[in-house]
Amino acid sequence: EQIGNLAPAPDGTTLAFNVVRDRWSRRGPNPYGGSDLWLVSNAPDATDYRKVSDYLGMNSWPMWAGDGQGLFFVSDRDGIENIWFQPAGGPAEQITHFAEGRLLWPSISADGKTIVFERDFTIWRLDLPSREAAPITLRVSADSRATPVYIETFTRANELTLAPDGKKIAFVARGEVFADFA
């Protein structure tokens, strides 16, 4: 067992983390795999560990709600990886309702209003007030050359040397070394 992800509460007094029982993932309940969500006080000698999740499958990537009154996390308790919310008291509530694919690497905004995540090799944005999730269109411009090829004529050289065979020349102009092989 090892700690997977760690999230400090907005007020800094509590830490949420998940304990990974087995790194291999599969859909559905797995008593020997998956991960559990836990809370503990943020103190050097804290011993008040409290298990938050009771589902035997995946419960990962805890993220505190902006007000600190609950945790958003990824779980496969409906058979597919989705974002869920665990309030301070009461049962967990499903937030996204994807029917297929994987949901990975979620991250919540500082104001607690947006979660972004990877799903099917696309970046998605979840607006928490409306609970609407949509892919983000990424536009990448073509890479332009910083120094395009051009021809320049030098009329002066700082240093010049001729090879012993007289067929090669090397010179320095404007701080760059040039060589010409005749």
Side-chain angles (χ1 to χ4, degrees):
E1 294 184 353
Q2 55 187 305
I3 292 178
N5 304 94
L6 179 72
D11 65 4
T13 61
T14 307
L15 301 174
F17 61 95
N18 66 295
V19 173
V20 180
R21 289 188 299 276
D22 185 3
R23 285 279 176 206
W24 292 98
S25 174
R26 74 170 199 199
R27 290 187 182 168
N30 180 0
Y32 306 108
S35 57
D36 299 315
L37 295 176
W38 290 79
L39 299 176
V40 67
S41 295
N42 187 11
D45 56 351
T47 58
D48 61 336
Y49 294 93
R50 302 172 305 280
K51 188 175 175 184
V52 176
S53 58
D54 56 358
Y55 172 67
L56 293 178
M58 178 207 292
N59 300 286
S60 300
W61 288 297
M63 300 166 283
W64 287 93
D67 60 5
Q69 297 301 307
L71 292 172
F72 291 97
F73 62 100
V74 176
S75 183
D76 63 356
R77 59 187 67 200
D78 68 333
I80 300 295
E81 293 170 3
N82 275 292
I83 302 259
W84 288 70
F85 179 69
Q86 178 66 58
E93 174 187 2
Q94 188 172 354
I95 304 299
T96 60
H97 296 275
F98 296 116
E100 61 185 16
R102 299 212 52 201
L103 194 152
L104 302 165
W105 313 112
S107 182
I108 195 165
S109 62
D111 64 5
K113 294 181 181 177
T114 304
I115 294 177
V116 293
F117 53 90
E118 178 190 335
R119 182 175 176 278
D120 293 336
F121 303 104
T122 303
I123 305 298
W124 286 67
R125 179 183 182 274
L126 170 62
D127 179 67
L128 290 170
S130 69
R131 297 191 177 186
E132 294 291 326
I136 297 173
T137 302
L138 299 176
R139 295 189 197 325
V140 179
S141 301
D143 187 17
S144 60
R145 294 183 60 110
T147 53
V149 175
Y150 56 91
I151 297 173
E152 189 170 341
T153 303
F154 295 105
T155 57
R156 293 176 54 176
N158 295 347
E159 298 176 44
L160 177 76
T161 188
L162 189 61
D165 64 4
K167 295 183 179 180
K168 298 175 214 102
I169 186 170
F171 63 94
V172 176
R174 295 188 180 170
E176 293 187 51
V177 177
F178 296 91
D180 185 24
F181 304 103

